[in-house]
Amino acid sequence: MSIIDCHIHLNIYDKINKTEEKIPSLQERLDALLETMENNNISYSLLLSSYKVDVNRPSTAQVIDIVDKNNSKDKLGVVAGFTIDNHTQEDLKNYRQWLKDDIIKGIKLYCGYEHHYPYDERYQIIYDMCIEFGCPLMIHTGDAFSHRAKIKYSHPLNVDDVAVDNPELKIVMCHIGNPWITDCQEILYKNKNVYADISGLIVGDFTLSGEIHYANKIKEILNYVDSPHHLLYGSDWPISNMKSYTNFVQKLDLDKESFDLLMFKNAKNIFKIFL
Ligand SMILES: [Zn+2]
């Protein structure tokens, strides 16, 4: 069985990497990812670049470049993080070209980390670009991994406005809006153009009670939405442990069709991944 993990980062996070003596190079991070994928039977991952670039966060161009250098395009795709506060005209030009050439598979907004609602009209240029190239837009929703984030901007209900005003735009809400999972569920039910990934529900490993809690939530979404076509598998590695995540989804006890849709078919279809 092939598994697609639609939510992976090559970033370094102080909270989880603080014991590292030196910052691993981008190549070392990529090697660690490929090894972890191999060990967990993951056939393909989408690498999400950040809204900012620093020593811990490679730029989209750097992520594209390292995938290219390692001849890993059959295993890795890139989703370009977008910054509304600090982008340049050149960034917009590059994004357009990368979409045209199928070098990136989607664009991601970091609402909450950046203090703007997803329905801010300045994002419309990105929505139009995604619609033009039929590429999905990922939006961070729910809790944030930074105390500087303002979470009113990442509440899943904000996504409804974007979905309604852009019916042709395919939207993936990251992290099923956790902890506002019921709100995410309603947005999925109401809007045919909205999907959600189940990544980043925990930092590190699931506890037993965490597994039970989130398994019930995911089953509730599937019952309410009445379609397994809306959920995508993602881990948020390296924030979440990949092994713990693949173990967790086994415990959802889904029928084969729902499981296959969650684990690879939906991502394949939405992100146009050819395996
Ligand atoms: Zn993430």
Side-chain angles (χ1 to χ4, degrees), residues 90-188:
E90 201 193 334
D91 289 334
L92 292 172
K93 219 176 112 195
N94 284 339
Y95 281 30
R96 165 167 283 278
Q97 196 60 44
W98 288 334
L99 284 174
K100 211 171 178 179
D101 298 343
D102 195 30
I103 286 171
I104 56 172
K105 293 284 183 193
I107 296 179
K108 183 180 176 196
L109 308 185
Y110 287 82
C111 301
Y113 291 95
E114 293 196 297
H115 301 163
H116 307 287
Y117 290 109
Y119 50 77
D120 190 308
E121 58 186 26
R122 288 174 301 155
Y123 281 123
Q124 192 61 42
I125 189 166
I126 293 295
Y127 303 158
D128 292 342
M129 211 188 277
C130 287
I131 293 167
E132 183 182 341
F133 293 99
C135 106
L137 172 84
M138 298 181 87
I139 305 180
H140 174 83
T141 59
D143 182 41
F145 204 50
S146 161
H147 65 273
R148 285 186 299 276
K150 293 187 177 175
I151 50 178
K152 68 176 178 183
Y153 298 109
S154 56
H155 195 289
L157 285 184
N158 300 324
V159 174
D160 190 45
D161 289 53
V162 183
V164 171
D165 294 341
N166 299 274
E168 291 170 76
L169 178 65
K170 282 184 278 182
I171 302 170
V172 178
M173 302 168 79
C174 301
H175 321 300
I176 49 174
N178 185 38
W180 299 293
I181 299 176
T182 314
D183 302 81
C184 170
Q185 171 176 308
E186 169 58 16
I187 305 304
L188 296 176

Side-chain angles (χ1 to χ4, degrees), residues 229-270:
H229 290 84
H230 284 265
L231 289 185
L232 284 77
Y233 176 74
S235 64
D236 214 5
W237 184 93
I239 295 172
S240 306
N241 178 300
M242 213 183 265
K243 171 122 264 127
S244 185
Y245 241 86
T246 48
N247 284 340
F248 164 66
V249 287
Q250 297 297 335
K251 293 181 184 165
L252 289 172
D253 202 22
L254 300 176
D255 61 78
K256 189 177 179 328
E257 197 210 342
S258 301
F259 189 76
D260 288 354
L261 285 165
L262 171 72
M263 298 310 284
F264 66 96
K265 282 189 178 166
N266 290 339
K268 226 176 141 176
N269 184 26
I270 296 163

